[in-house]
Amino acid sequence: MKLADNKATLSFSNGSPSIDLPVYQGSVGPDVIDIRKLYGQTGMFTYDPGFLSTASCQSAITYIDGDKGELLYRGYPIEQLATQCNYMDTCHLLLKGELPNEQQSKDFNKLIINHTMVNEQMQFFLRGFRRDAHPMAVLTGLVGALSAFYHDSTDITNAEHRDIAAIRLIAKMPTLVAMAYKYGIGQPYVYPRNDLSYAGNFLRMMFAVPCEDYKVNPVLERALDRIFILHADHEQNASTSTVRLCGSSGTNPFAAIAAGVACLWGPAHGGANEACLNMLEDLQRQGGLPKVGEFMEQVKDKNSGVKLMGFGHRVYKNYDPRAKLMQETCNEVLAELGLENDPLFKLAKAVEKIALEDDYFVQRKLYPNVDFYSGIVQRAIGIPVNLFTGIFSLARTVGWIAQLNEMISDTEYKIGRPRQLFTGSVARNVQPIGKR
Ligand code: CMC
């Protein structure tokens, strides 16, 4: 980061002396005011719940321009990556900073597929869960448990350990997600096949059974690969910030990523695709297309507590670029499977059309986000609704680990320790129980 020519001056109306604060510039995007010495100089904190105006770190990985609807991984537009690269190359880019050349791509792919199996003991650990457990509960446990199985990659201060943990996590996540699914439906686990692509192998681990041959459908394989690319990173969102904060204590990478999985589960974050599909299914049950208008009135009524899931974003105040690419994939998958007349897809289109024209949404700059169409695609592929967020965690693992490793290598890194504006009771004495 570069020191800007200007400074910010903070003055107070009570006569306290004003102070100058340095301003830094990034390569693109808003400048930041450096407030690190603010408390030392004034005895005051800043107050910013939800981090609406706070840059919590410097990062060179992902850039979002929410007003333009632009998303760049290491400078490359998401549209180019989604149409010209595959997920493995995207992982290489996020982790190492550059897209691989042909040889690097082969080597990286080989490195990943060498680690797709998980310790056989993991399945006994999995057995401790109820069969009807939510896959995200299972995944939080399984990912955290990796630290109990791979002791040679748990030292976050060791760069080699961090590299091995990154490879292991990316390689093993599809195996773990598929195992969580198979366990839930009572089918035998399917071991990874390393002659398949990352997405193809995942499809096979999900849908093959030992008694039949399984052929990967290339359209579904490409669709899944695109879902993975679109979800691979998204700068300092809630789960990524969770991974950074968790990792800042020096905990092992598997524990930090498990914290990210737990955070992603929430319906305001990764759980939105599940919530969005459930919303569309509910609407379908209530009468479908003729009921869309009534439903949209409920969404606009603050007292109803109903939100249009898959719409709105903290950063995008324009169409989420990932939603456009997802809509394209949605059309391809539904055409491949002969589901063009899928009622949920028609419903989604009708909801989107009303929302894009309605004042409520226009004024608040609420546009479809990535989750609006990803649920329909995943459902068409045959992925159960409660596994959608698991797929999201699989894809986001590379982003989390790239951000975690970036933080640990940053010379300015410190344990994260926010402060607070205390509004509770001032010091008081404990009274004997009879007098309380
Ligand atoms: N439906 C109806 N109204 C909405 C919606 C929505 N989906 N989203 C925001 N609003 C309204 C909100 O009520 C508020 O209205 P008012 O100004 O009258 O009080 C205004 O728009 C601004 O919303 P906000 O809650 O201040 O915005 P935020 O930045 O805090 O929240 C959000 C962003 C994503 C949590 C929110 O838009 C939301 O809950 N959306 C639905 C869930 C969803 O699709 N989440 C996925 C996000 S993308 C995937 C990911 O990155 O994880």
Side-chain angles (χ1 to χ4, degrees):
M1 65 188 180
K2 189 174 126 223
L3 203 55
D5 295 336
N6 59 323
K7 285 186 176 138
T9 303
L10 183 62
S11 57
F12 303 90
S13 57
N14 63 359
S16 303
S18 62
I19 58 160
D20 284 340
L21 298 164
V23 173
Y24 289 101
Q25 293 175 326
S27 43
V28 60
D31 295 351
V32 298
I33 303 170
D34 180 352
I35 56 162
R36 280 175 290 183
K37 297 208 172 115
L38 182 74
Y39 179 61
Q41 289 180 350
T42 66
M44 276 188 233
F45 300 137
T46 55
Y47 181 63
D48 187 18
F51 303 111
L52 296 176
S53 298
T54 297
S56 61
C57 61
Q58 48 173 319
S59 178
I61 302 176
T62 293
Y63 176 73
I64 304 174
D65 185 326
D67 293 322
K68 277 204 245 163
E70 179 180 68
L71 169 62
L72 311 174
Y73 292 166
R74 303 271 189 196
Y76 294 109
I78 191 69
E79 292 82 357
Q80 291 180 25
L81 292 169
T83 52
Q84 296 171 43
C85 299
N86 63 29
Y87 180 66
M88 279 296 91
D89 291 351
T90 308
C91 287
H92 186 284
L93 173 70
L94 289 168
L95 279 181
K96 298 175 185 284
E98 292 299 338
L99 281 169
N101 62 27
E102 214 169 320
Q103 190 56 47
Q104 288 165 332
S105 176
K106 274 191 198 145
D107 293 346
F108 186 71
N109 218 50
K110 188 155 184 294
L111 189 61
I112 295 289
I113 61 177
N114 277 343
H115 289 87
T116 48
M117 285 204 306
V118 295
N119 187 303
E120 197 65 4
Q121 192 73 14
M122 286 293 281
Q123 60 169 292
F124 303 114
F125 177 70
L126 187 59
R127 253 188 230 168
F129 286 97
R130 281 171 56 141
R131 294 257 178 204
D132 62 354
H134 193 286
M136 287 303 278
V138 176
L139 271 180
T140 312
L142 289 183
V143 175
L146 288 174
S147 51
F149 289 96
Y150 300 102
H151 293 154
D152 57 344
S153 49
T154 51
D155 180 2
I156 207 163
T157 61
N158 180 323
E160 207 184 319
H161 279 219
R162 292 201 300 273
D163 280 351
I164 303 172
I167 298 303
R168 283 193 170 135
L169 276 157
I170 296 167
K172 294 183 198 309
M173 272 306 266
T175 315
L176 295 181
V177 173
M179 281 172 80
Y181 170 60
K182 289 293 197 190
Y183 180 72
I185 57 169
Q187 284 186 3
Y189 305 123
V190 175
Y191 286 105
R193 274 274 301 271
N194 292 347
D195 55 339
L196 297 174
S197 72
Y198 189 83
N201 175 48
F202 178 64
L203 280 171
R204 187 174 167 278
M205 286 192 292
M206 284 286 294
F207 300 119
V209 284
C211 42
E212 274 174 25
D213 282 341
Y214 181 83
K215 207 168 158 352
V216 176
N217 177 323
V219 175
L220 306 191
E221 181 183 16
R222 180 67 204 147
L224 205 55
D225 194 75
R226 180 173 281 192
I227 290 179
F228 294 163
I229 295 174
L230 299 185
H231 288 86
D233 195 45
H234 215 224
E235 54 118 306
Q236 310 310 319
N237 55 80
S239 58
T240 303
S241 301
T242 300
V243 168
R244 279 184 178 257
L245 189 57
C246 184
S248 79
S249 72
T251 192
N252 70 77
F254 304 109
I257 301 302
V261 175
C263 177
L264 191 75
W265 191 358
H269 192 10
N273 50 17
E274 177 176 346
C276 178
L277 219 272
N278 288 337
M279 173 193 83
L280 291 172
E281 280 176 344
D282 267 359
L283 186 54
Q284 182 63 19
R285 273 192 294 273
Q286 285 160 26
L289 281 174
K291 292 281 179 185
V292 172
E294 203 178 296
F295 171 70
M296 294 302 269
E297 288 311 310
Q298 275 179 16
V299 168
K300 292 190 283 177
D301 174 7
K302 283 265 159 353
N303 301 320
S304 72
V306 180
K307 266 197 171 180
L308 184 55
M309 301 314 287
F311 257 73
H313 200 274
R314 168 61 59 82
V315 182
Y316 292 119
K317 301 301 167 196
N318 200 329
Y319 215 99
D320 177 344
R322 302 168 303 169
K324 280 188 195 143
L325 292 156
M326 208 64 253
Q327 194 183 15
E328 222 175 82
T329 299
C330 193
N331 287 327
E332 278 166 28
V333 167
L334 295 180
E336 169 69 13
L337 300 174
L339 295 172
E340 294 95 329
N341 290 323
D342 178 61
L344 284 202
F345 185 54
K346 284 191 166 166
L347 211 50
K349 287 254 197 208
V351 166
E352 182 188 17
K353 186 168 185 308
I354 297 182
L356 291 178
E357 288 165 2
D358 190 297
D359 261 4
Y360 175 94
F361 296 92
V362 175
Q363 274 167 14
R364 290 171 178 76
K365 299 190 176 164
L366 300 171
Y367 293 89
N369 58 52
V370 66
D371 291 324
F372 194 65
Y373 284 108
S374 73
I376 297 174
V377 178
Q378 292 186 59
R379 175 174 160 273
I381 291 177
I383 296 166
V385 177
N386 68 358
L387 204 68
F388 290 179
T389 318
I391 309 277
F392 192 161
S393 352
L394 181 175
R396 182 56 59 85
T397 294
V398 64
W400 287 330
I401 199 91
Q403 300 265 355
L404 179 65
N405 289 351
E406 180 181 66
M407 176 189 77
I408 303 291
S409 323
D410 186 340
T411 49
E412 298 199 333
Y413 134 72
K414 282 188 168 20
I415 184 169
R417 178 51 170 98
R419 304 305 297 263
Q420 63 177 4
L421 175 65
F422 183 68
T423 56
S425 173
V426 295
R428 50 182 172 160
N429 295 320
V430 173
Q431 297 300 312
I433 195 156
K435 290 195 175 167
R436 288 178 213 159

